[in-house]
Amino acid sequence: MKKYILYSFAVLLIFSCKKEEIKNDASEEFPGGATTYNNIFSGSFEQPSSNLNTAELLQHNTGDAHFSANFVTSPAIRNQGLGPIFNHISCVVCHPKNGKSPQPFSGDDLKGLLFRISVPGTDIHGGPANAPGFGTQLQNKANVGKQAEASVQISFTETSFAFEDGTNYSLRKPSYTLMNPYISLPSNILVSPRLGQQVIGLGLLEAINERDLLAHEDISDANGDGISGKANKVWNPVSNKIEVGRFGWKAGNPTLLLQAAGALNQDIGVTSHIFPSENSFGQTQYDGLNDEPEVDSQQLSDLAFYTQTLAVPKRRDFNNDDVLSGKQLFFKIGCDKCHTQKYITGTGATPSVSNQTIYPYTDLLLHDMGPELADNRPDFLASGTEWRTPPLWGIGLTPLVNGHSNLLHDGRARNILEAIMWHGGEAENQKIKVTKLSKKEREQLVRFVGSL
Amino acid sequence: MTKYLCFLSFAAMFLFAGCKKEEVTSYSPVINNVTDNIIVATYTDLDAKAQLLVDAANALKADPSSATNLSAARNAWAATRAPWESSEGFLFGPVSTLEIDPNMDTWPLDSIGVDDILAGTDVINKAYIDALSGDAGTGLKGFHAIEYILWGSDGNRAAGTFSARELDYLVACAESLKGKTAELKEAWAASGGNYANELKSRGSIYPTEKAVLVELAEGVRGIAGEVFSSKIQNTLDGLDLSGVSGGIREEESRFSNNTKTDFTNNIISIQNVYLGTYGSTGNGKGLSAIVAAENAALDTKIKTQITEAIAAIQAIGGNANVTFSTALSADRASIEAAQLKVETLETTLRTELLTLISNL
């Protein structure tokens, strides 16, 4: 009899404390290592890394002011240099509360969405070839008296699908038409919609050792798992070298300094020592003011520093049973093959991001995501169907921070589950596995992703 | 056997209970009071005052030579400004996600842009002002555009000097502002977007009561931080056009000389959430009720520091008749003293209040 009791106890223990079955490292609660900010609230993406010293905090705050400043038409007392053609007048418009804006419904208000453009072929560094008269990005706004390059019309198609349990779901596919160009558009123009991304934890991603990224490459799929990660190799005009790309939807930028300089130049029309030419140079909108650079190198590096030192928020419910079950599914399905869980960073731009154990859930590599998601516009080594794996940290906080849950490169997915179901190409097998899950398992998977 | 089964069931119950978290106190009385009687009440008040501002602007337009009408419109502006500034301790939810804040309260005002519109021929009405959205447009409307018309850039505009287009601009901006206050009120109302319910019941936005309390505590911490490190600091840092020290250009609400009142109301918004009262509404259940139960000394400290911050802001320039603008050149020490009091409060909220709330 005693034996029975003991066995029963053992069984009861297993059932009653399920948590013990799935392992969690305590450090997983702090995805950004020592940079992690402990409070979850609507401002969670706007917090300085928790491990900055006083001088670093001061520089972070200076960069913060630049990030939220509105640029105005030159000449002006300060923040001059807007345009003559641009997408928006400040960084925060496209990165509201350092998060992201929703998929726009109409071309009248594109919110955080912009369009990269090019024509087939490459430039001298292997990057996208300029669309003659338009460059590599469409500026849909202009200063008073100047003409925007074009406007955009958006329409949507809804398509219904079903999970194996019979539950229906629907995906919303946007299509974009360029309208009213200031001169004729090239007939072979390639157009790639890009939504501004959340800004958290970028300094940590920059600090991941290059060899750790390249270790995940499997360009010819030697291991036969259907997944062939590839690092983008892009031109860095500062080092005058081809380097591994890490930032942007197609990993087109190697560093945050370049990302900041590029966004100022292309999105706002502000020149710097890195990009001293107006985005309208050679076009009829060019202002000819010869006031370059419109931000000095200190302002630019403060801005980059700000993006390097934003905290990652702590995870919610990381020990919850459903979250843990979802975590098990995530790994079983193989989502982690691209959404790489963990790194220990190397030496980054600041001590705060160096040698940190982080959980970004990305390999920062390019993957073929299938024809449905394709923009069909190559970008250095990224083909027209390839996208960079985006990090998943903070993904569940967008409803709290930005009041919506839109995801993917143009915000077409209305929630995490739709984003999963958009996966194709190399992730086709993983998507099929998700269609076979029960309703409860789907919810657990989504809860896990939302807890990151 | 039966006995053993009974025993096992008991044991099982204990084990299950053992895995659960300890029962925690419900904070719903505080959350419900702050949501309904502070946040929703403030937005309701704001919307009602905005309607009175529209009425007063129309009255001025009807008889622009009346000094009484001008004075009434200015008072209506200040009366609307008060609940708005005392809502800045809770700048989360619809006010942010619906982009209401920039459409109502962008500073600095693009006064050159306003002058350009006034000098032009565009038909000025509410639809025209509403369309000045996003981007550069927000600097042309809202509280400070109305203030600019009512007081003028030098603060002493006289009745009878308004052009017809200025009066159109005034009324259109007031109506556009009222549209935004209505949208904000509606977004929180049970009959509308019911954002109040996100705070009061548990869902994906705020899965726990503690998550709401963190939002409230971060909200009050945030405005304290903005007042000392941005709103006041910018005026101390900036140089005005003639190079005079003191950034008058950065001084929000300087046309109306309402700056000290603005800052005071910002701290009052902290006080409202903390004490659980808004004027005569609210049952007194605020963050203070939670803090007092856990750490009475901290509760007293926060209350004292709020009072001291308000007093120091009001003491800027030595007395109520000295404007913030004047103090910027004549008595910067009084501004720095007020700034320090707000910074001290922010430090306490950040390091002690938030720590206490996070550890509940």
Side-chain angles (χ1 to χ4, degrees):
Chain A
M1 196 67 223
K2 264 188 187 157
K3 247 188 198 171
Y4 279 115
I5 295 171
L6 276 174
Y7 281 136
S8 309
F9 257 115
V11 169
L12 278 167
L13 274 165
I14 288 166
F15 274 107
S16 57
C17 293
K18 198 181 165 197
K19 271 180 202 177
E20 305 304 322
E21 288 176 29
I22 308 162
K23 286 248 166 91
N24 246 349
D25 272 354
S27 62
E28 285 180 55
E29 192 174 10
F30 306 94
T35 74
T36 306
Y37 189 71
N38 279 333
N39 288 329
I40 301 294
F41 73 113
S42 60
S44 282
F45 292 171
E46 299 169 300
Q47 302 309 314
S49 295
S50 298
N51 56 348
L52 298 184
N53 64 34
T54 309
E56 290 166 336
L57 195 58
L58 204 64
Q59 189 179 7
H60 175 95
N61 290 338
T62 306
D64 188 2
H66 297 324
F67 197 81
S68 53
N70 290 346
F71 283 86
V72 298
T73 312
S74 299
I77 296 158
R78 52 167 213 177
N79 296 343
Q80 65 171 0
L82 175 69
I85 50 174
F86 57 96
N87 296 105
H88 274 299
I89 65 167
S90 70
C91 304
V92 283
V93 185
C94 294
H95 306 281
K97 293 181 83 69
N98 292 350
K100 48 184 171 269
S101 65
Q103 152 83 48
F105 287 111
S106 137
D108 295 340
D109 179 9
L110 287 175
K111 300 183 186 293
L113 190 68
L114 57 75
F115 297 85
R116 293 276 163 77
I117 51 175
S118 54
V119 293
T122 55
D123 71 1
I124 53 166
H125 302 300
N130 273 335
F134 293 87
T136 54
Q137 184 165 314
L138 192 78
Q139 282 84 25
N140 61 303
K141 289 182 182 157
N143 293 354
V144 178
K146 303 285 183 183
Q147 217 180 342
E149 287 184 330
S151 59
V152 180
Q153 204 169 53
I154 308 175
S155 60
F156 297 94
T157 355
E158 286 275 352
T159 310
S160 275
F161 302 88
F163 296 104
E164 279 206 358
D165 68 4
T167 310
N168 286 316
Y169 68 95
S170 170
L171 297 181
R172 166 185 74 168
K173 186 171 188 178
S175 63
Y176 307 96
T177 314
L178 305 190
M179 311 282 289
N180 312 311
Y182 83 105
I183 56 170
S184 291
L185 287 161
S187 57
N188 55 351
I189 194 165
L190 307 173
V191 180
S192 176
R194 311 274 184 102
L195 196 67
Q197 303 192 41
Q198 64 187 25
V199 200
I200 54 168
L202 299 182
L204 295 165
L205 299 180
E206 193 175 45
I208 296 174
N209 282 317
E210 190 171 300
R211 63 171 182 274
D212 292 339
L213 296 182
L214 299 181
H216 285 102
E217 275 196 317
D218 183 16
I219 298 173
S220 52
D221 191 19
N223 67 2
D225 66 354
I227 293 168
S228 62
K230 173 176 76 182
N232 205 350
K233 304 276 174 64
V234 303
W235 177 247
N236 182 339
V238 177
S239 64
N240 281 315
K241 281 194 291 207
I242 293 285
E243 293 178 2
V244 169
R246 296 173 188 237
F247 303 105
W249 285 104
K250 291 206 170 210
N253 260 314
T255 66
L256 290 168
L257 182 68
L258 215 57
Q259 177 75 31
L264 280 172
N265 187 246
Q266 287 294 321
D267 305 358
I268 310 182
V270 171
T271 54
S272 58
H273 69 284
I274 296 178
F275 293 112
S277 286
E278 289 283 3
N279 62 38
S280 56
F281 185 76
Q283 299 181 205
T284 55
Q285 298 96 335
Y286 180 56
D287 60 11
L289 285 178
N290 283 320
D291 56 354
E292 278 63 60
E294 291 157 334
V295 291
D296 63 35
S297 56
Q298 186 61 50
Q299 287 172 302
L300 180 61
S301 60
D302 289 346
L303 187 61
F305 186 83
Y306 176 68
T307 67
Q308 283 161 337
T309 49
L310 281 161
V312 177
K314 191 170 88 170
R315 277 184 65 189
R316 297 202 276 205
D317 301 332
F318 95 122
N319 262 333
N320 171 285
D321 287 349
D322 282 331
V323 168
L324 287 171
S325 302
K327 180 183 178 188
Q328 203 169 38
L329 288 165
F330 184 90
F331 284 87
K332 198 172 130 195
I333 291 166
C335 309
D336 64 309
K337 286 173 187 284
C338 304
H339 291 285
T340 309
Q341 183 192 26
K342 180 180 177 182
Y343 298 87
I344 295 168
T345 61
T347 303
T350 80
S352 65
V353 295
S354 304
N355 305 311
Q356 297 297 323
T357 301
I358 62 167
Y359 294 85
Y361 288 87
T362 174
D363 58 7
L364 297 179
L365 300 180
L366 300 168
H367 299 275
D368 182 336
M369 293 299 289
E372 287 302 303
L373 275 180
D375 66 347
N376 300 309
R377 176 185 178 270
D379 195 340
F380 290 95
L381 299 190
S383 74
T385 54
E386 286 177 324
W387 297 99
R388 181 204 68 161
T389 312
L392 298 181
W393 52 22
I395 191 173
L397 296 179
T398 309
L400 176 65
V401 172
N402 296 121
H404 69 87
S405 53
N406 293 357
L407 293 166
L408 298 180
H409 63 276
D410 57 0
R412 61 179 64 189
R414 285 161 291 202
N415 52 53
I416 290 170
L417 188 59
E418 283 188 14
I420 294 171
M421 301 318 291
W422 270 107
H423 282 58
E426 294 175 30
E428 184 68 24
N429 287 334
Q430 280 65 35
K431 180 183 73 182
I432 290 170
K433 286 180 189 167
V434 174
T435 62
K436 295 179 195 297
L437 296 180
S438 70
K439 182 168 185 293
K440 180 157 175 72
E441 288 170 325
R442 287 198 301 270
E443 285 167 1
Q444 289 169 333
L445 179 63
V446 166
R447 253 200 98 179
F448 166 68
V449 174
S451 79
L452 294 175
Chain B
M1 189 67 206
T2 328
K3 250 189 205 168
Y4 280 114
L5 278 177
C6 276
F7 171 73
L8 278 174
S9 311
F10 258 113
M13 278 169 66
F14 274 110
L15 278 167
F16 275 115
C19 283
K20 271 197 180 165
K21 272 195 172 175
E22 192 185 326
E23 243 355 272
V24 289
T25 328
S26 169
Y27 301 107
S28 60
V30 169
I31 292 171
N32 292 346
N33 179 53
V34 171
T35 304
D36 292 334
N37 299 325
I38 313 299
I39 300 177
V40 174
T42 304
Y43 289 149
T44 305
D45 187 18
L46 173 69
D47 189 49
K49 297 283 169 36
Q51 181 57 52
L52 297 177
L53 174 61
V54 170
D55 296 345
N58 274 313
L60 182 64
K61 187 181 171 181
D63 183 2
S65 61
S66 158
T68 313
N69 285 354
L70 175 58
S71 166
R74 287 175 174 177
N75 290 339
W77 179 89
T80 314
R81 186 81 183 153
W84 171 252
E85 289 300 306
S86 63
S87 79
E88 292 200 335
F90 37 88
L91 284 174
F92 54 82
V95 70
S96 150
T97 59
L98 299 180
E99 295 167 30
I100 286 171
D101 185 352
N103 278 289
M104 286 178 55
D105 193 22
T106 289
W107 182 258
L109 176 77
D110 181 1
S111 57
I112 293 166
V114 174
D115 289 345
D116 284 347
I117 294 172
L118 292 172
T121 55
D122 292 345
V123 175
I124 299 167
N125 53 30
K126 176 176 182 288
Y128 179 82
I129 299 293
D130 283 345
L132 300 171
S133 64
D135 286 7
T138 56
L140 301 167
K141 60 177 175 178
F143 274 109
H144 298 300
I146 298 170
E147 183 197 10
Y148 178 64
I149 304 281
L150 286 175
W151 276 271
S153 57
D154 58 358
N156 47 27
R157 194 78 193 260
T161 65
F162 298 96
S163 73
R165 286 180 68 77
E166 283 179 313
L167 294 164
D168 287 345
Y169 205 85
L170 170 69
V171 170
C173 283
E175 288 175 347
S176 180
L177 185 89
K178 167 70 174 85
K180 289 293 162 192
T181 62
E183 194 182 337
L184 182 54
K185 180 183 144 188
E186 193 60 18
W188 281 79
S191 56
N194 205 3
Y195 202 79
N197 196 48
E198 295 289 355
L199 275 67
K200 292 193 287 181
S201 63
R202 308 285 53 89
S204 62
I205 301 280
Y206 298 110
T208 61
E209 289 182 343
K210 197 168 107 177
V212 180
L213 298 179
V214 167
E215 185 75 82
L216 296 175
E218 285 279 9
V220 293
R221 189 271 289 197
I223 191 59
E226 197 186 328
V227 170
F228 94 80
S229 74
S230 174
K231 289 187 179 191
I232 293 179
Q233 187 61 42
N234 289 351
T235 67
L236 294 170
D237 281 347
L239 294 175
D240 73 7
L241 288 169
S242 52
V244 173
S245 66
I248 285 185
R249 287 179 68 253
E250 302 287 349
E251 183 200 332
E252 196 167 351
S253 296
R254 71 180 155 89
F255 306 131
S256 58
N257 283 321
N258 205 57
T259 311
K260 285 196 267 178
T261 308
D262 274 10
F263 295 167
T264 301
N265 283 324
N266 285 160
I267 308 303
I268 284 177
S269 78
I270 300 173
Q271 192 170 47
N272 292 345
V273 171
Y274 194 72
L275 298 182
T277 53
Y278 177 69
S280 58
T281 55
N283 61 19
K285 290 190 183 359
L287 295 178
S288 167
I290 296 165
V291 176
E294 302 273 331
N295 182 345
L298 175 61
D299 181 52
T300 307
K301 183 174 172 182
I302 293 173
K303 285 175 179 166
T304 307
Q305 290 184 350
I306 290 173
T307 312
E308 287 180 359
I310 292 172
I313 291 167
Q314 304 214 305
I316 287 173
N319 73 65
N321 298 323
V322 178
T323 66
F324 192 94
S325 305
T326 305
L328 261 178
S329 49
D331 190 3
R332 288 168 75 85
S334 68
I335 297 175
E336 284 159 0
Q339 183 185 33
L340 187 62
K341 289 291 184 189
V342 181
E343 183 174 1
T344 304
L345 171 62
E346 195 271 349
T347 303
T348 304
L349 297 176
R350 178 164 43 84
T351 58
E352 298 188 61
L353 173 67
L354 271 164
T355 305
L356 184 148
I357 299 283
S358 319
N359 291 326
L360 284 174

